[in-house]
Amino acid sequence: MSVDLRTDLIVAAKHFYAQGWMVGTAGNLSARLDDGSFWITASGRQKGNLTETDFIRINLDGTIVEQPHPDSRPSAETSIHLAVYNSFPEAQACYHVHSVEANLVSRLAAGDAVSLPAIEMLKGLGVWEENPQVSIPLFTNYLEVPKIAQEICEVFAISPPKVPALLIRDHGVTVWANSPAAAYNYIEIVEYIFRYMMTASQSILDDKF
Ligand SMILES: CSCCC(=O)C(=O)COP(=O)(O)O
Ligand SMILES: [Zn+2]
């Protein structure tokens, strides 16, 4: 029996909304079908209470395959999901959320990457090393989203990241994985790491750390 991937996306969005990571209409989630096309959240939907008609099915060339609501539009950030799926053909799900911590962390980094602390949780992102040196690539939040997507494609073609995540400055984090369940875990883990980083930087300021 084939399960509708939209159910995974609805459950994930409800959970991320409850965490404060998909407040209002923020964020977008997608998952791929066997033919390579993917269901993505329609633009501007309230993310705490999605239903199956709040998704649009898109081909890897960006064309619409299925649109349950004739007046709905694909997520304004569909080009970023396309950039991820085209850069990593093995990716089956791509989740993007907006947390306060992700935004603050993106302001801590001056360059084009955010260094992550060498903590145990990195294993949850696939990094099994002693004292790992890991960073998340950081992109500029251009108003024109396809310009962000273009930069993602260019950067990843040359240097794919060690962890399946990217950060857009003052905007939010995007992860990808080989299943919706794994993408759900990756969001929880990167958000834990961002919370850790912000707590640590606050503790240093408070001279307690
Ligand atoms: C308040 S959300 C602003 C747009 C955005 O960054 C986002 O993630 C949601 O856009 P969508 O078109 O997917 O609803
Ligand atoms: Zn966004």
Side-chain angles (χ1 to χ4, degrees), residues 44-164:
R45 294 292 198 274
Q46 212 274 351
K47 301 305 190 312
N49 249 320
L50 295 170
T51 67
E52 284 185 3
T53 56
D54 290 324
F55 294 86
I56 294 180
R57 195 169 142 215
I58 305 277
N59 258 333
L60 270 195
D61 62 5
T63 55
I64 292 175
V65 185
E66 249 181 285
Q67 192 176 18
H69 255 308
D71 56 342
S72 62
R73 289 171 294 112
S75 163
E77 295 170 351
T78 299
S79 56
I80 293 176
H81 293 247
L82 283 165
V84 165
Y85 291 133
N86 283 310
S87 300
F88 306 106
E90 69 284 4
Q92 295 296 320
C94 179
Y95 288 4
H96 163 67
V97 299
H98 295 188
S99 71
V100 171
E101 288 82 1
N103 278 278
L104 293 173
V105 160
S106 78
R107 289 196 165 215
L108 291 178
D112 56 6
V114 172
S115 297
L116 302 185
I119 57 177
E120 179 73 8
M121 284 295 256
L122 288 180
K123 287 180 183 160
L125 296 176
V127 180
W128 290 75
E129 288 170 27
E130 191 114 352
N131 247 327
Q133 306 283 303
V134 182
S135 61
I136 291 187
L138 179 61
F139 293 89
T140 302
N141 189 31
Y142 298 114
L143 184 59
E144 218 183 304
V145 179
K147 201 170 160 188
I148 308 174
Q150 178 65 34
E151 280 200 0
I152 291 169
C153 288
E154 286 167 10
V155 169
F156 287 177
I158 297 165
S159 57
K162 214 167 176 176
V163 292

Side-chain angles (χ1 to χ4, degrees), residues 155-175:
V155 169
F156 287 177
I158 297 165
S159 57
K162 214 167 176 176
V163 292
L166 67 89
L167 197 53
I168 305 173
R169 199 187 296 279
D170 298 330
H171 181 160
V173 70
T174 299
V175 305

